[in-house]
Amino acid sequence: MAIPYNLLIKVNRIRLLFSFFATVKLTIMRMKKILFLLLTAFAFQFTANAQITTSGMSGTIKNAKNEALIGATIKATHTPTGTVYNVQSRANGRFDITNMNNGGPYKIEVSYVNYGTEIKDDIFLSLGEVFRYDFTLNLTSVTITEVTVAAKGRTNLDAKGGTSSSIGRDRIDLTTAVGRNIQDYIKVTPFAKTLNGNEGAVTIAGQNNRYNSFYIDGAINNDVFGLAASGTNGGQTAGAPISIDAIDQFQIMISPYDASIGNFTGGGINAVTKSGTNNITGSVYYFYRNEKLAGKNPLQRKDTAQRFPEFKNKTFGFTVGGPIIKNKLFFFASFEQQRDATPQIFDFSTYRGNTNTVAGVEALKSHVKSTYGYEMGEWQQTTRRLDADRVVAKIDWNISPKHRFTVSGRYNKLTSESPSISSSTSINFTNGGVRFPHRTTAFSAELKSNLTKNISNRLLATYSDVLDDRSIVGDPFPRIALNDNGGTITFGGENSSTQNLLTQKNLSIVDNLKINYKNHSFTLGVDYERFKVSMFLSRTLMVTTAI
């Protein structure tokens, strides 16, 4: 007998943002101006979102006498795509470049009338952070035509904006991760910890593992309803939300200074997918594991432990990216298929119940089959299964020197079967397990505009459609628990959620306008979010009796 419940939740939120940042000298007049601006800012409600998809550059332009050069030209070129960002220095020689592509390398050229040109090569930008560098130009009469400075690696000077950690593609490639899941990479940061006994659960800064927020290309990808220990969509299947080969960078934040970043109590996790470049690049990979490549059963005694029975874990995938129109239009695509079968071996000699022979358990199976027509399944060797299909596609378009548009889509289909493993006090069967079908379809569209040398805008719209289903393995049958005097024999359909169904539709639109004025930066914006959650709940009758 099932007792159904229907639940429908709709949430609409609109939040305004007015934030202010300044780098100033501590003079009385400036402190009064700052105090007035801060009081004005507190009259608005602060936005709280963690949808970071870009990077930036900042610094000052001065001459050898430490005098600010106002109106100097700064040209930053993203070498792989030929994308160019042009700005000019303003009061006190300060410059800011926003809405930049992550990664690199970048080439920076700084020039000013009657001064030599300085070039800085091999600059790499970390996701969500601002690369800071101060340039000093010399008069042409005392310099050679240009000065080139080379910098290798991902260096960000005095610009972190709070406690955070970035994981670039280079570090991802060098990190050992058997599970190829995002949690395998997040936990390498010093303030993240994996929780034992909760598959995929990561606590950040000591907070609850469900207090994290996770975004891919700005689209929310954490389990809003809070069912999965990992906190990610599809986490109940123990499957990854996206192929790690499609990820370009991660950023993990715990205490950002920026008022536009938040919506998390533990950590804010941002991930951006790869983009195409002027060169056609790609990869093909295949991972394989079987009983000969695995160790012996860790649940058995060391002196008598045996290898696992025959099984196969297989992951196949490919990535490809390149130009559609050189320096103008680029594409990237990724596909991955995973088929895992993990055996769970039970040593019947450790069982402490009255039924002390394999024949006794098999006799119970035969009786239930002949009397009720129900097949209980295997019990000495059960198998956990995970099937996954993941697709990522992305288009980057340099519309003009001032406007850049990106659209991406992600599809993740996961299906797992999780029978309970038997132990010294319980015997469980394959068909008493749970089947978890999951599907996430998400889209992101982002327009980044540098309207003038001091004004930029970022418009981001995302949509995600999430389906979490849950059903029994095998045919429908009441859940039966037999008290075996020291042990329990359990069979029949899983009773907690045989017909549970959860759907989530999440829409987000964020627009932030940034204004740089002298030493100050102002951000004005609006954040609209719409969450629609529909859940059907049921619970099946469970019968407990004694043998």
Side-chain angles (χ1 to χ4, degrees):
M1 180 177 64
I3 305 174
Y5 301 91
N6 287 307
L7 178 65
L8 178 64
I9 301 174
K10 291 184 179 180
V11 178
N12 290 275
R13 292 189 294 180
I14 300 178
R15 295 174 293 187
L16 300 177
L17 166 69
F18 176 73
S19 64
F20 165 77
F21 176 77
T23 303
V24 298
K25 297 180 180 178
L26 296 179
T27 62
I28 295 177
M29 292 300 293
R30 290 193 176 187
M31 288 300 292
K32 287 182 178 180
K33 292 180 180 179
I34 293 171
L35 179 61
F36 172 76
L37 289 169
L38 289 176
L39 291 174
T40 304
F42 282 119
F44 293 82
Q45 179 183 356
F46 286 103
T47 281
N49 64 80
Q51 299 157 331
I52 304 299
T53 60
T54 61
S55 302
M57 291 184 182
S58 179
T60 59
I61 312 296
K62 296 184 179 182
N63 60 20
K65 298 180 180 180
N66 203 34
E67 297 171 336
L69 300 179
I70 302 174
T73 299
I74 301 94
K75 177 182 177 182
T77 304
H78 185 241
T79 306
T81 62
T83 304
V84 176
Y85 303 84
N86 285 300
V87 296
Q88 289 183 323
S89 60
R90 53 187 191 277
N92 296 326
R94 185 180 178 88
F95 73 92
D96 293 277
I97 310 178
T98 59
N99 296 334
M100 301 182 72
N101 293 335
N102 310 292
Y106 275 90
K107 178 181 179 180
I108 310 175
E109 301 175 72
V110 179
S111 60
Y112 192 69
V113 177
N114 295 326
Y115 284 81
T117 299
E118 184 171 344
I119 299 175
K120 190 172 180 63
D121 279 317
D122 295 323
I123 302 299
F124 287 85
L125 303 184
S126 296
L127 173 62
E129 295 184 358
V130 178
F131 181 90
R132 174 65 187 268
Y133 192 82
D134 298 324
F135 292 85
T136 300
L137 302 185
N138 295 309
L139 289 168
T140 54
S141 59
V142 295
T143 64
I144 306 176
T145 55
E146 65 181 33
V147 176
T148 300
V149 181
K152 297 287 185 180
R154 302 177 182 274
T155 305
N156 293 276
L157 307 177
D158 304 321
K160 288 187 73 63
T163 303
S164 65
S165 179
S166 295
I167 304 174
R169 189 68 230 177
D170 48 358
R171 189 175 178 186
I172 292 175
D173 292 337
L174 293 174
T175 300
T176 301
V178 176
R180 289 175 50 81
N181 208 326
I182 288 175
Q183 288 78 12
D184 296 327
Y185 299 88
I186 294 174
K187 66 185 181 184
V188 303
T189 61
F191 37 78
K193 179 183 178 182
T194 303
L195 297 180
N196 294 329
N198 290 286
E199 190 164 3
V202 176
T203 175
I204 299 178
Q207 298 296 319
N208 187 287
N209 54 292
R210 287 182 172 85
Y211 288 175
N212 305 322
S213 287
F214 178 49
Y215 296 85
I216 301 177
D217 285 348
I220 188 169
N221 209 87
N222 54 294
D223 177 21
V224 176
F225 205 81
L227 296 177
S230 65
T232 60
N233 285 334
Q236 293 182 92
T237 68
I242 189 173
S243 168
I244 201 67
D245 285 79
I247 294 294
D248 182 60
Q249 290 194 40
F250 289 110
Q251 182 198 35
I252 302 98
M253 303 176 292
I254 61 172
S255 57
Y257 300 157
D258 194 334
S260 66
I261 302 173
N263 218 16
F264 56 89
T265 303
I269 305 164
N270 290 295
V272 292
T273 55
K274 294 178 180 178
S275 296
T277 66
N278 280 326
N279 297 318
I280 296 178
T281 59
S283 64
V284 177
Y285 54 91
Y286 180 73
F287 297 90
Y288 178 81
R289 182 170 177 260
N290 63 8
E291 71 283 356
K292 296 179 181 179
L293 299 174
K296 295 182 179 181
N297 189 349
L299 300 180
Q300 295 177 339
R301 288 169 40 184
K302 291 184 178 180
D303 56 340
T304 59
Q306 299 177 348
R307 286 194 176 275
F308 290 98
E310 183 179 351
F311 75 94
K312 294 179 181 179
N313 289 352
K314 299 178 290 184
T315 299
F316 163 78
F318 68 86
T319 65
V320 61
I324 300 175
I325 302 175
K326 189 174 182 179
N327 294 337
K328 188 79 172 180
L329 194 62
F330 310 91
F331 77 95
F332 173 80
S334 167
F335 171 79
E336 182 174 277
Q337 185 178 82
Q338 180 180 356
R339 298 292 184 265
D340 285 358
T342 305
Q344 302 177 139
I345 308 303
F346 171 51
D347 185 358
F348 182 67
S349 64
T350 63
Y351 181 63
R352 298 201 294 261
N354 274 351
T355 305
N356 54 13
T357 64
V358 172
V361 179
E362 291 296 328
L364 174 63
K365 285 183 57 178
S366 298
H367 174 74
V368 173
K369 176 69 174 178
S370 61
T371 305
Y372 304 102
Y374 176 69
E375 176 58 55
M376 296 161 61
E378 298 297 324
W379 61 281
Q380 288 183 285
Q381 175 190 327
T382 59
T383 302
R384 296 182 59 185
R385 302 184 184 277
L386 173 63
D387 294 345
D389 296 288
R390 306 180 179 97
V391 179
V392 175
K394 189 175 186 179
I395 295 290
D396 294 279
W397 180 21
N398 294 333
I399 302 174
S400 70
K402 291 186 176 182
H403 304 285
R404 297 166 182 85
F405 180 72
T406 298
V407 60
S408 63
R410 294 160 300 283
Y411 176 80
N412 193 32
K413 181 181 178 182
L414 307 171
T415 304
S416 72
E417 292 184 3
S418 304
S420 298
I421 188 170
S422 299
S423 67
S424 60
T425 58
S426 65
I427 294 178
N428 299 289
F429 296 82
T430 300
N431 289 344
V434 184
R435 178 179 287 115
F436 286 103
H438 168 85
R439 187 209 71 235
T440 295
T441 306
F443 300 94
S444 303
E446 184 175 27
L447 178 64
K448 296 170 286 189
S449 304
N450 294 323
L451 303 176
T452 69
K453 64 180 181 180
N454 294 322
I455 301 176
S456 61
N457 190 79
R458 175 174 171 262
L459 174 62
L460 173 67
T462 66
Y463 176 78
S464 59
D465 184 357
V466 183
L467 169 68
D468 281 299
D469 204 349
R470 183 164 173 159
S471 61
I472 61 174
V473 178
D475 297 328
F477 196 78
R479 188 73 161 182
I480 306 295
L482 301 178
N483 188 344
D484 198 21
N485 191 23
T488 304
I489 301 176
T490 305
F491 61 93
E494 197 271 339
N495 64 300
S496 295
S497 51
T498 54
Q499 298 182 51
N500 285 6
L501 176 66
L502 172 66
T503 62
Q504 304 175 62
K505 299 181 186 298
N506 307 317
L507 172 67
S508 173
I509 301 175
V510 180
D511 188 79
N512 288 332
L513 180 71
K514 186 173 184 178
I515 303 172
N516 297 314
Y517 178 72
K518 295 184 178 180
N519 284 342
H520 313 299
S521 293
F522 301 88
T523 302
L524 302 105
V526 61
D527 181 0
Y528 171 78
E529 294 176 319
R530 177 181 173 85
F531 298 92
K532 182 179 180 181
V533 180
S534 179
M535 191 171 192
F536 177 82
L537 305 173
S538 69
R539 189 173 181 87
T540 301
L541 178 66
M542 179 173 182
V543 178
T544 302
T545 185
I547 295 179

